[in-house]
Amino acid sequence: MKLCMATNNAHKIEEIRPLVPGTVGLVSLEEIGCREELPETGDTLEANSRQKAQYVWDHYGVNCFADDTGLEVEALGGEPGVYSARYAGPQRDARANMELLLRKLEGEENRRAQFRTTITLILDGQAYQFEGVVRGAILGAARGTGGFGYDPLFVPDGYARTFAEMDLAEKNKISHRARAVERLIRFLREREEESS
Ligand code: IMP
């Protein structure tokens, strides 16, 4: 089965490729001829991942999945959430986003937060959703140079280091995205076993 991962981030595809069952041929948006930007106008992670996957199915008729991730901070009622990438503005600047978050949390004792990833898979027009969460806390200042986005501010529960102070393999063992992908892969494997 051909399965499109609705992203143009080649790195994300290469990360997932070794995990999918042998009968699944993973392809990128480019490989199915989709070069336009996918619509992403929902106000939840679920709606956005669904919208992107649905777009690919409707316009290209290819089975596919799309992900959407946000950082949800308890003291801010779940902000920045679905707006994580453009929290400080449309320029999607990670440093500006972190500065804004720190300003909003100034003097706040509750530093609890979670990263949450939602994946929508569309198989033959039918949608399935998978979620991955990692809980932790937001520091008062950035630490570490690895990773991306809010990684320098986020310390996962049970660890003393931020995501930006971990190497990729270590982050990938516990990350929100890895957990959501794990559930997707389990689902695909089970379907394959049922049909063989
Ligand atoms: P996306 O849905 O994977 O594009 O993620 C949306 C935004 O959430 C990114 O632009 C980052 O600001 C933030 N984000 C997603 N995943 C991570 C992560 O693993 N670490 C830090 N920030 C992340």
Side-chain angles (χ1 to χ4, degrees):
M1 174 189 48
K2 184 156 88 171
L3 183 65
C4 175
M5 181 170 188
T7 179
N8 278 316
N9 183 337
H11 181 73
K12 275 190 184 173
I13 296 182
E14 289 323 309
E15 223 174 73
I16 291 178
R17 196 184 297 283
L19 305 175
V20 299
T23 53
V24 171
L26 205 58
V27 293
S28 66
L29 286 170
E30 203 176 1
E31 284 168 293
I32 62 166
C34 173
R35 287 181 186 84
E36 63 272 28
E37 199 153 312
L38 300 181
E40 212 176 335
T41 56
D43 54 11
T44 61
L45 300 173
E46 284 76 9
N48 271 352
S49 66
R50 170 76 194 248
Q51 196 181 15
K52 289 185 277 189
Q54 193 71 46
Y55 181 92
V56 172
W57 173 255
D58 289 346
H59 291 79
Y60 295 88
V62 177
N63 288 327
C64 64
F65 66 95
D67 67 344
D68 206 42
T69 296
L71 173 67
E72 300 175 329
V73 178
E74 204 172 275
L76 301 176
E79 261 186 45
V82 73
Y83 306 107
S84 294
R86 49 209 146 103
Y87 196 34
Q91 70 281 10
R92 295 173 174 252
D93 183 292
R95 186 190 295 250
N97 288 340
M98 285 196 288
E99 280 168 7
L100 177 60
L101 181 62
L102 287 178
R103 272 205 305 283
K104 290 204 179 202
L105 284 177
E106 241 167 41
E108 177 57 61
E109 272 178 27
N110 178 5
R111 315 293 296 194
R112 303 291 305 152
Q114 63 180 22
F115 278 113
R116 193 162 69 88
T117 295
T118 296
I119 291 177
T120 299
L121 167 72
I122 298 195
L123 286 185
D124 301 325
Q126 169 102 33
Y128 306 86
Q129 290 198 313
F130 308 90
E131 184 183 83
V133 171
V134 59
R135 297 193 168 81
I138 301 295
L139 294 178
R143 255 180 26 204
T145 54
F148 70 101
Y150 299 87
D151 277 348
L153 293 180
F154 186 82
V155 177
D157 286 349
Y159 292 78
R161 283 167 299 140
T162 66
F163 267 166
E165 292 173 311
M166 296 181 179
D167 63 38
L168 191 59
E170 196 175 5
K171 179 184 167 188
N172 280 344
K173 265 190 234 155
I174 57 166
S175 86
H176 42 297
R177 213 173 350 268
R179 285 175 177 164
V181 165
E182 223 173 81
R183 295 198 165 123
L184 165 73
I185 303 291
R186 199 178 311 141
F187 176 84
L188 291 172
R189 286 193 188 285
E190 282 168 9
R191 264 179 69 100
E192 189 188 55
E193 277 162 25
E194 276 165 22
S195 67
S196 65

